[in-house]
Amino acid sequence: GEDVEQSLFLSVREGDSSVINCTYTDSSSTYLYWYKQEPGAGLQLLTYIFSNMDMKQDQRLTVLLNKKDKHLSLRIADTQTGDSAIYFCAERSRGSQGNLIFGKGTKLSVKP
Amino acid sequence: EPEVTQTPSHQVTQMGQEVILRCVPISNHLYFYWYRQILGQKVEFLVSFYNNEISEKSEIFDDQFSVERPDGSNFTLKIRSTKLEDSAMYFCASSDKTTGELFFGEGSRLTVL
């Protein structure tokens, strides 16, 4: 079946940029998502990108999509301690009625 | 800001008991979903629901599971006879169309003893 992979941990210093990477196998992906999960909380939608785009920027967040390599990244500029959380990459296939395939999540730790 | 709300936040039950997890989706949304996350594993799709019927379901969503929208606001997931391996965080989500944003609730943690 289709799969989404992420590295499990990332540690950065406050003020630095964070880059969280994700790879996926489904060549018919239509939407790709980044969700954030803080401890004890639900999944917060951060941003998403349609598969015919290669970049999307939203304030401190930049999403880059390399469709050829099936690689998605999330860059957080000027990372703050409040950005510490688990970040999930997810993809939706063409024709899917909301079946998102999630990665295992990358735990971002921001050191002061 | 509108949000998806779920109850209970945590439920402990005995194996073999029936459990109902409740969700109130965002009010103008038409598509509803259940996902689950077993501890340490990926978030997995269970089922999507539109126009009062299931539109897609995964292999996990077997005959023990059912969904219902009993009153136009709540969206429920019933597990008929819980097993130990049903212990997980269950997330409800909703969207206003089939493409774009899915908004998730905070989850209901189910512990089966």
Side-chain angles (χ1 to χ4, degrees):
Chain A
E2 306 301 346
D3 198 18
V4 174
E5 294 291 337
Q6 304 175 238
S7 53
L8 295 181
F9 301 100
L10 176 66
S11 181
V12 300
R13 292 221 169 268
E14 195 172 19
D16 288 350
S17 292
S18 308
V19 179
I20 303 171
N21 294 300
C22 169
T23 57
Y24 59 98
T25 57
D26 185 0
S27 55
S28 72
S29 288
T30 52
Y31 286 88
L32 295 120
Y33 302 80
W34 285 105
Y35 283 88
K36 176 183 180 183
Q37 186 179 39
E38 297 183 50
L43 297 168
Q44 176 196 352
L45 177 64
L46 284 179
T47 187
Y48 68 102
I49 188 168
F50 190 51
S51 59
N52 69 353
M53 299 168 65
D54 51 22
M55 187 180 96
K56 182 177 180 181
Q57 187 151 4
D58 183 2
Q59 299 182 332
R60 291 192 296 124
L61 304 179
T62 304
V63 178
L64 295 177
L65 174 60
N66 181 329
K67 200 173 179 185
K68 175 175 164 290
D69 293 340
K70 300 193 190 72
H71 182 269
L72 182 75
S73 68
L74 174 69
R75 179 175 180 269
I76 306 172
D78 187 26
T79 315
Q80 303 298 306
T81 53
D83 295 323
S84 294
I86 299 176
Y87 290 81
F88 292 92
C89 170
E91 65 94 7
R92 178 196 292 213
S93 293
R94 187 182 310 278
S96 165
Q97 299 294 313
N99 179 355
L100 302 191
I101 309 295
F102 280 82
K104 261 194 158 180
T106 300
K107 184 172 183 179
L108 174 65
S109 298
V110 182
K111 294 181 173 25
Chain B
E1 188 176 318
E3 58 181 16
V4 176
T5 56
Q6 291 186 239
T7 54
S9 55
H10 188 191
Q11 181 155 356
V12 181
T13 190
Q14 295 290 326
M15 192 169 57
Q17 294 296 303
E18 177 183 283
V19 158
I20 297 176
L21 305 178
R22 291 182 168 79
C23 169
V24 179
I26 294 172
S27 62
N28 63 339
H29 285 184
L30 300 176
Y31 299 85
F32 315 113
Y33 315 90
W34 283 101
Y35 284 74
R36 79 172 184 191
Q37 185 181 28
I38 295 171
L39 190 63
Q41 298 187 25
K42 294 184 178 184
V43 177
E44 302 172 289
F45 170 79
L46 292 178
V47 66
S48 60
F49 191 85
Y50 169 70
N51 201 24
N52 278 323
E53 59 182 27
I54 291 172
S55 48
E56 189 178 1
K57 62 182 181 178
S58 71
E59 290 174 358
I60 304 166
F61 195 86
D62 61 21
D63 293 343
Q64 296 288 353
F65 292 91
S66 62
V67 289
E68 197 176 37
R69 193 143 191 261
D71 57 14
S73 62
N74 288 285
F75 177 52
T76 61
L77 174 70
K78 183 192 291 187
I79 309 173
R80 190 174 20 238
S81 176
T82 48
K83 304 188 283 285
L84 295 176
E85 54 265 37
D86 293 327
S87 294
M89 181 74 89
Y90 288 81
F91 291 105
C92 175
S94 69
S95 67
D96 62 355
K97 50 189 175 182
T98 55
T99 56
E101 303 155 296
L102 263 75
F103 294 92
F104 283 79
E106 298 220 335
S108 292
R109 180 169 296 286
L110 175 65
T111 302
V112 183
L113 302 176

